[in-house]
């Protein structure tokens, strides 16, 4: 596993109170397991990442970022380290509530923890607890498969026109083990459940991992949990 990209369909909201939006973001990140220090990324060459707890400087940078965007609204790009060097455990966040999207990229999680399942699920839960209007979230695994750099959604998902499960996904309905007996874990989350197909580092080259995810996806389609885009 080279990286995992957590993709969230959060509720669209245009923040006009930047300080309140900043404080909400800080509160969310405090829930992230294993990451205590965060940095606001640069807007232009020559800048350096700012510690997120430097509120006046960060708020100024975020206001300038909004002015540079096609639509003036609050958004943020963050790192858990002062540089973007892609070492194991690097986390990149792109938070864009104005378009209802958020991504969290975790670099080489299996090099940090032998079984990173609970860590990644904990990150997903931290976002869900802050963004209560989230409709769907999915941990998309990226890896090399047959010499190519691919991701689960494009290379392995059961149906390309629907949401998928892959390693794990949040669905907006409480489900139980009787409904999804093949699931490795079903974790409670605000307004729904996090369904996990494999309790361990998900590998695209492992046919058993992909097969379990596909079987679960098809059952979840039957239950109406993974709708068409």
């Amino acid at each position: 596993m080279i990286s995992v990209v957590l993709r969230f369909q959060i509720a669209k909201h245009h923040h006009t109170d930047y300080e309140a939006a900043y404080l909400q973001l800080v509160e969310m990140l405090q829930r992230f397991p294993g990451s205590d220090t965060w940095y606001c990324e640069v807007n232009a060459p020559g800048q350096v990442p700012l510690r997120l707890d430097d509120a006046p400087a960060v708020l100024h940078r975020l206001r300038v970022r909004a002015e540079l965007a096609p639509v003036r609204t609050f958004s943020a790009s963050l790192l858990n380290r002062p540089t973007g060097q892609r070492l194991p455990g690097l986390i990149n966040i792109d938070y864009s509530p104005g378009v209802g999207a958020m991504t969290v990229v975790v670099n080489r999680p299996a090099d940090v923890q032998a079984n990173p399942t609970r860590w990644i699920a904990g990150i997903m839960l931290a976002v869900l607890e802050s963004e209560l209007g989230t409709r769907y979230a999915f941990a998309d695994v990226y890896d090399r498969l047959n010499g190519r750099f691919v991701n689960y959604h494009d290379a392995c998902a059961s149906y390309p026109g629907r949401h998928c499960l892959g390693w794990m996904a949040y669905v907006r309905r409480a489900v139980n083990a009787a409904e999804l007996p093949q699931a490795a874990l079903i974790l409670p989350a605000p307004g729904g459940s996090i369904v996990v197909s494999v309790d361990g580092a998900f590998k695209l080259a492992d046919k058993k991992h992909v097969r379990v995810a596909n079987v679960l996806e098809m059952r979840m389609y039957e239950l109406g949990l993974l709708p068409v885009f």
Side-chain angles (χ1 to χ4, degrees), residues 8-13 100 127-136 170 172 190:
F8 297 86
Q9 292 182 354
I10 62 177
K12 290 184 181 181
H13 42 99
V127 176
L128 295 171
E129 289 174 341
S130 180
E131 294 291 334
L132 296 177
T134 299
R135 302 182 304 282
Y136 168 74
Y170 166 77
R172 202 164 177 81

Side-chain angles (χ1 to χ4, degrees), residues 60-74:
H60 173 73
R61 179 168 290 183
L62 294 177
R63 288 190 177 97
V64 172
R65 174 187 172 94
E67 291 170 358
L68 296 172
V71 177
R72 186 170 180 176
T73 186
F74 181 90

Side-chain angles (χ1 to χ4, degrees), residues 1-71:
M1 181 191 302
I2 294 175
S3 65
V4 58
V5 180
L6 283 74
R7 306 184 190 280
F8 297 86
Q9 292 182 354
I10 62 177
K12 290 184 181 181
H13 42 99
H14 292 277
H15 289 292
T16 56
D17 186 338
Y18 278 42
E19 185 172 357
Y22 161 80
L23 292 174
Q24 178 186 337
L25 189 57
V26 169
E27 183 181 1
M28 177 200 300
L29 295 174
Q30 288 173 345
R31 298 192 182 102
F32 270 48
S35 298
D36 299 324
T37 306
W38 292 91
Y39 298 84
C40 179
E41 288 205 68
V42 304
N43 290 335
Q47 295 180 337
V48 297
L50 297 170
R51 281 183 61 107
L52 194 61
D53 55 10
D54 185 354
V58 169
L59 283 168
H60 173 73
R61 179 168 290 183
L62 294 177
R63 288 190 177 97
V64 172
R65 174 187 172 94
E67 291 170 358
L68 296 172
V71 177

Side-chain angles (χ1 to χ4, degrees), residues 1 4 17 40 46 93 111 119 128-129 131 138 149-150 161 169 173-174 199:
M1 181 191 302
V4 58
D17 186 338
C40 179
I93 296 175
D111 291 349
W119 177 29
L128 295 171
E129 289 174 341
E131 294 291 334
F138 162 58
F149 184 61
V150 298
R173 204 197 89 186
D199 188 6

